[in-house]
């Protein structure tokens, strides 16, 4: 069963929704801080096979936060941001090692072949995220999955611009960045005039 069949959402929505559980500078709270908050996200995302008694631990929530942090680094790289040298390589390595713990299997039907998690429970949830990443890549949407370049925001979004050059999740964020840049130029020009 594909991610969309099991959740009713496109693969990109699942991954972006997962990444957007992190706290932001705009006041969004941490939504994977403990076992219960992870369980709530799993249920809301349509994962976990409808198991109301899904067993989730605080260790699972820690794995989720680490997985999310690595995805944030990669989505920031899609807008040309690398927080420190080697961050992308470290994130890719972490994701590769993590993916080995949550293997996928090929599901072949008359309509084609999709990857699906080979495990149930929380391991199946994490496997579903890797399957969604694979589906997004196969559909050519992976490079369009980005983090807003507006630092206080840093919300993930799907870039729907024609040339895939979007850097901000909304016109409001673009406006905020433009205004900050304008103010910095005014301040720099004012400081320059004082030294002359």
């Amino acid at each position: 069963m594909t991610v969309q069949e099991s959740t009713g959402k496109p693969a990109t929505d699942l991954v972006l929704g997962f990444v957007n559980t992190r706290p932001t500078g705009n006041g969004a709270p941490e939504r994977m801080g403990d076992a219960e908050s992870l369980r709530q996200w799993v249920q809301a995302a349509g994962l976990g096979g409808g198991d109301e008694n899904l067993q989730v631990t605080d260790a699972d929530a820690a794995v989720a936060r680490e997985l999310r942090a690595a995805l944030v680094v990669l989505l920031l790289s899609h807008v040309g941001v690398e927080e420190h040298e080697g961050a992308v390589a470290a994130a890719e390595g972490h994701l590769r090692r993590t993916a080995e713990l949550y293997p996928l299997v090929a599901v072949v039907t008359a309509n084609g072949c999709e990857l699906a998690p080979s495990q149930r429970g929380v391991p199946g949830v994490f496997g579903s995220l890797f399957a969604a990443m694979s589906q997004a890549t196969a559909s050519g949407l992976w490079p369009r999955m980005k983090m807003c370049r507006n630092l206080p925001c840093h919300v993930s979004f799907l870039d729907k611009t024609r040339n895939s050059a979007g850097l901000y999740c909304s016109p409001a964020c673009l406006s905020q960045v433009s205004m900050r840049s304008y103010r910095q130029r005014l301040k720099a020009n004012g400081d320059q005039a004082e030294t002359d």
Side-chain angles (χ1 to χ4, degrees):
M1 181 179 295
T2 67
V3 169
Q4 185 153 355
E5 289 170 342
S6 65
T7 66
K9 301 174 186 173
T12 53
D13 287 358
L14 179 63
V15 176
L16 296 174
F18 176 74
V19 171
N20 284 335
T21 62
R22 64 194 283 272
T24 67
N26 288 339
E30 170 64 66
R31 290 183 285 150
M32 285 206 187
D34 58 17
E36 181 56 24
S37 57
L38 174 58
R39 191 188 68 71
Q40 289 173 5
W41 179 83
V42 167
Q43 297 300 330
L47 299 171
D51 181 2
E52 293 296 323
N53 299 313
L54 181 69
Q55 297 298 310
V56 182
T57 67
D58 285 340
D60 295 327
V63 169
R65 289 190 303 273
E66 290 172 357
L67 175 58
R68 182 184 65 192
L71 285 170
V72 165
V73 171
L74 296 188
L75 298 188
L76 277 171
S77 76
H78 293 172
V79 295
V81 174
E82 185 170 11
E83 292 178 331
H84 58 83
E85 189 174 335
V88 171
E92 290 171 341
H94 177 77
L95 290 167
R96 191 171 17 264
R97 289 186 302 277
T98 304
E100 291 173 0
L101 302 174
Y102 309 106
L104 303 175
V105 296
V107 178
V108 182
T109 66
N111 295 326
C113 180
E114 296 280 346
L115 295 176
S118 65
Q119 300 167 312
R120 295 187 173 276
V122 174
V125 169
F126 293 140
S128 292
L129 288 166
F130 284 104
M133 289 179 240
S134 177
Q135 288 176 20
T137 301
S139 64
L141 294 175
W142 180 252
R144 289 180 172 268
M145 295 170 66
K146 302 177 177 183
M147 294 295 293
C148 183
R149 201 166 177 170
N150 183 12
L151 185 59
C153 178
H154 269 347
V155 167
S156 67
F157 69 101
L158 183 64
D159 180 0
K160 296 180 180 177
T161 62
R162 184 176 298 161
N163 61 358
S164 189
L167 301 175
Y168 304 99
C169 67
S170 69
C173 278
L174 172 58
S175 178
Q176 286 176 8
V177 169
S178 296
M179 186 56 71
R180 275 196 304 269
S181 178
Y182 172 72
R183 288 181 185 140
Q184 287 172 346
R185 284 193 307 273
L186 283 179
K187 185 177 184 313
N189 288 341
D191 291 345
Q192 180 71 29
E194 287 177 14
T195 59
D196 287 345

